[in-house]
Amino acid sequence: MPQQAAVSEEHLEREQPKENLDSDAEHIAALYRDIYNQAAGMGTLSNKEVVRSIVERIGEHGYVVADEENQIDMAGPEQVLRFCRSVDGKQEAELTMIVVTSSGGFIKYNLHTVDGTVDVVRGYYQYVNGRLENMSTVSYPVDSWEYTKEGYLLFEGSHYSEIYYALSLSDEPEHTALRVLPLDETCRKLNRAYLLPVGYGGNNLFLVDWSEQNFGNLDFYDLFDRFYPDIYELPVPFEANDDSGVGAVYRISAEIFEHVVEVHFRIDHEELRKKTTYIPEDQNYEYRPRGFYEAEYPDIPYPEVVSYEEKNDGTITLTVNAVYPEENTSRAFTHKTVVRPLDDGGFQYVSNQIIFPEVGFEPWWHSERLSEDQWKEVYGGND
């Protein structure tokens, strides 16, 4: 018992009081307060160009600055590279990094290295009713540190959190992934247009091999869920039952279901009907929304287009890395995705192929929909 009490005291020392608003944080906030005030008044704080302006403004004053979504080139990357060399050389050094959030606040990392170890003090600052406040400050030793060949700085450590400790009886892990090297802006635009809106959660569009010649295991029900809100500007109206023990089943008209799929895929109606459950006498598709037993892990990778090639047939081949902060990797897997821009401003997905690792990648966070037999076993054949 005495040993456990000592650990708790150490935890308390590592969790700094929220009221501690240091002068450096106030100085940083003052550097872009005019940008913040204008954007807050217009409701555009999350606008990418507003975030870019904040990153550039703070960077002009010598700080290392990135955005939390890694969609804007880092300011001051040479400082990060120099610090990484100090870590590798077991030299003493310090570094401050600012990460701008989409809500107009920022995260401040104070890093210190000596003898190859790295310690972090991380403060999270947010505007509340127009006033900057320190929402939390924690400190921790880095357990995992890597500057990757993809140009990312990845580090992980654990700190005490009263709520997290009550749930898990352990410290709360914190994963940080920051792109240090700049990325071609066209790659970023292609990523925002074709990859990020779909991502790796709740669908397998980028997780399996498929093509227009062979759609393989592509799940068109998940893709219907993803694209319906964009096309009709409404949430998907077919919801799972609130009771986890009862399965919901709907019928969607062929006109609606096929239209949603055909917006982004060139697929024959007969082929689509083979890949789904089609009821010809009613010209409907049977649809079962994802339920409790098909939930996925919430912390997943995000896609990053790292190169592209425009083909003579009008398609674009995108090479995409899956960046996975929770797994401390900037390349969990790599896939090539082909898209076909259309004359009307739309586009179609043409194919996807996993090219790294060679033995394939298992997206463990992803949950496939229940098969018909599994669904009947879980829900007792309720239809």
Side-chain angles (χ1 to χ4, degrees):
M1 292 299 293
Q3 183 178 3
Q4 186 176 15
V7 171
S8 298
E9 290 173 4
E10 178 187 357
H11 285 157
L12 292 174
E13 290 176 1
R14 287 160 49 191
E15 186 170 33
Q16 306 299 322
K18 293 182 179 181
E19 295 77 12
N20 181 20
L21 187 62
D22 63 72
S23 59
D24 194 29
E26 292 181 324
H27 172 68
I28 293 166
L31 295 176
Y32 70 92
R33 194 178 302 279
D34 59 325
I35 300 175
Y36 173 86
N37 288 339
Q38 182 179 14
M42 298 175 64
T44 58
L45 279 172
S46 61
N47 182 279
K48 181 175 65 67
E49 293 309 316
V50 171
V51 176
R52 186 191 303 278
S53 297
I54 296 174
V55 168
E56 292 176 350
R57 174 70 67 79
I58 302 174
E60 290 171 358
H61 293 266
Y63 286 96
V64 174
V65 196
D67 70 292
E68 65 177 340
E69 297 180 347
N70 287 312
Q71 294 302 301
I72 298 165
D73 285 350
M74 175 183 282
E78 65 283 349
Q79 297 182 51
V80 178
L81 297 177
R82 185 163 57 246
F83 185 83
C84 289
R85 288 194 293 269
S86 296
V87 175
D88 293 340
K90 297 186 177 182
Q91 301 171 332
E92 186 169 7
E94 293 183 345
L95 176 69
T96 296
M97 299 190 301
I98 308 301
V99 178
V100 178
T101 67
S102 59
S103 58
F106 60 90
I107 304 167
K108 182 162 73 78
Y109 294 95
N110 289 328
L111 309 180
H112 178 258
T113 182
V114 62
D115 294 330
T117 64
V118 179
D119 290 298
V120 177
V121 177
R122 188 271 295 150
Y124 173 44
Y125 301 88
Q126 184 59 273
Y127 280 95
V128 179
N129 297 323
R131 177 183 175 184
L132 188 72
E133 293 190 9
N134 180 352
M135 309 307 291
S136 70
T137 296
V138 298
S139 61
Y140 55 86
V142 167
D143 298 319
S144 174
W145 173 276
E146 182 183 8
Y147 177 74
T148 73
K149 62 181 180 181
E150 289 79 36
Y152 268 81
L153 175 61
L154 305 168
F155 58 91
E156 174 196 2
S158 299
H159 59 81
Y160 177 74
S161 165
E162 183 175 347
I163 295 176
Y164 191 88
Y165 191 84
L167 295 172
S168 65
L169 297 180
S170 63
D171 284 358
E172 181 175 3
E174 189 163 284
H175 301 264
T176 301
L178 298 175
R179 170 166 273 282
V180 177
L181 292 187
L183 186 62
D184 185 334
E185 187 59 28
T186 300
C187 287
R188 294 192 185 280
K189 290 179 179 178
L190 293 170
N191 198 34
R192 289 193 294 269
Y194 304 126
L195 277 298
L196 285 174
V198 179
Y200 301 127
N203 74 94
N204 65 357
L205 179 60
F206 307 127
L207 303 180
V208 296
D209 292 355
W210 64 270
S211 70
E212 289 181 333
Q213 291 71 45
N214 182 359
F215 285 96
N217 294 323
L218 201 57
D219 191 321
F220 286 102
Y221 287 112
D222 282 342
L223 296 174
F224 176 87
D225 287 346
R226 173 58 196 83
F227 294 121
Y228 182 98
D230 293 344
I231 295 169
Y232 290 103
E233 298 183 346
L234 293 169
V236 178
F238 316 106
E239 299 180 349
N241 197 297
D242 291 337
D243 184 348
S244 63
V246 178
V249 182
Y250 299 90
R251 291 191 176 184
I252 305 174
S253 72
E255 180 182 3
I256 292 177
F257 193 90
E258 290 168 0
H259 173 64
V260 169
V261 172
E262 289 171 350
V263 167
H264 290 307
F265 294 90
R266 181 182 291 178
I267 182 171
D268 179 82
H269 288 174
E270 292 303 316
E271 178 67 16
L272 179 58
R273 293 167 185 178
K274 291 177 183 177
K275 294 290 183 181
T276 53
T277 301
Y278 181 70
I279 306 169
E281 56 268 25
D282 296 332
Q283 294 186 329
N284 288 331
Y285 285 81
E286 186 176 87
Y287 171 85
R288 295 168 176 156
R290 280 180 172 265
F292 175 81
Y293 299 99
E294 296 151 303
E296 295 188 338
Y297 186 76
D299 294 314
I300 63 177
Y302 64 86
E304 183 176 77
V305 174
V306 293
S307 67
Y308 67 96
E309 182 180 1
E310 297 178 343
K311 300 289 189 177
N312 293 332
D313 62 2
T315 63
I316 307 173
T317 299
L318 310 172
T319 301
V320 188
N321 285 343
V323 182
Y324 204 170
E326 292 293 311
E327 293 284 316
N328 300 321
T329 177
S330 54
R331 193 189 183 197
F333 63 96
T334 301
H335 56 102
K336 283 188 179 292
T337 301
V338 179
V339 296
R340 179 188 297 114
L342 303 176
D343 293 337
D344 62 2
F347 67 91
Q348 295 171 330
Y349 293 103
V350 178
S351 66
N352 186 73
Q353 180 186 11
I354 307 296
I355 62 173
F356 173 85
E358 294 182 1
V359 296
F361 178 79
E362 182 63 34
W364 62 269
W365 68 89
H366 176 67
S367 175
E368 298 289 344
R369 286 176 180 257
L370 296 175
S371 67
E372 184 174 356
D373 289 341
Q374 290 172 330
W375 192 91
K376 289 179 178 179
E377 181 179 349
V378 169
Y379 297 114
N382 294 329
D383 54 23

